[in-house]
Amino acid sequence: MSHALFKTTPETYPISFVAGDAFNPDMLRIFPAFMEPPATEKPDLSTLTSLNPLAGRCAVVHASNLFHLFSEENQLHLAKALAGLLSAQPGSIVCGEHVGTSEKGYVRKEFSGRELHTFAHSPESWNALWDGDVFAKGSVLVSATLERVDQGAGLAYDRMMWSVVRL
């Protein structure tokens, strides 16, 4: 399905797409942040059916247009689950962008002709979530900034661009 969506083939883009529910532990379990490389063998990426074998092995995790789809509680769960995929190597990074706001809380926005009522973090609350709730305080560098996105016709929203780097 992913190759059809992105108009690729296994030959032109030899990567496996793993579809699943990020809140199902059979797909993506919460692992404590790795302090050393995993003791298990590296998985064969072409045979993955879940993200769990990647725990502690990813140098980069990209997650855009995702977090704002969920409640505050589920955003914390997702952040912890994605953090468990990161390598212990300093410089490993989780990054992305999503709807944000200047003060953490629920926002009501019109987006692409639909009204959204969603929980959004501010740069400050996003920093606190990752540096203290997800990772031990002081073990990561969080950067989060808001940018106003004009959709035309008087519609706009705040997009938060962010990164979390292991120190």
Side-chain angles (χ1 to χ4, degrees):
M1 179 177 157
S2 299
H3 285 298
L5 179 64
F6 295 105
K7 297 183 175 142
T8 61
T9 67
E11 293 74 33
T12 62
Y13 197 71
I15 191 167
S16 297
F17 291 94
V18 181
D21 178 353
F23 298 101
N24 179 341
D26 291 336
M27 174 55 63
L28 182 59
R29 188 171 334 142
I30 293 176
F31 291 93
F34 281 78
M35 303 312 287
E36 296 183 17
T40 58
E41 283 192 39
K42 290 181 182 178
D44 177 354
L45 298 181
S46 67
T47 64
L48 288 180
T49 58
S50 91
L51 299 179
N52 291 329
L54 298 177
R57 298 194 177 280
C58 297
V60 177
V61 174
H62 180 255
S64 281
N65 299 318
L66 179 64
F67 279 91
H68 65 264
L69 301 174
F70 305 108
S71 68
E72 181 178 16
E73 178 183 326
N74 282 344
Q75 287 184 32
L76 174 60
H77 177 100
L78 183 59
K80 287 179 176 181
L82 293 177
L85 296 176
L86 272 190
S87 160
Q89 182 79 20
S92 297
I93 183 172
V94 182
C95 59
E97 61 181 58
H98 57 260
V99 173
T101 188
S102 58
E103 292 196 30
K104 149 183 162 168
Y106 282 90
V107 295
R108 190 177 302 269
K109 302 281 185 186
E110 189 169 329
F111 187 75
S112 299
R114 302 169 88 190
E115 185 172 83
L116 293 175
H117 182 72
T118 187
F119 183 84
H121 278 280
S122 68
E124 294 77 20
S125 67
W126 195 245
N127 188 316
L129 177 120
W130 288 94
D131 188 18
D133 290 340
V134 174
F135 288 102
K137 185 89 173 140
S139 67
V140 294
L141 175 65
V142 182
S143 172
T145 59
L146 289 177
E147 175 184 277
R148 193 79 175 151
V149 176
D150 182 4
Q151 295 179 278
L155 300 176
Y157 71 98
D158 291 325
R159 173 175 52 204
M160 187 163 58
M161 294 162 289
W162 57 275
S163 62
V164 179
V165 181
R166 293 206 59 179
L167 299 176

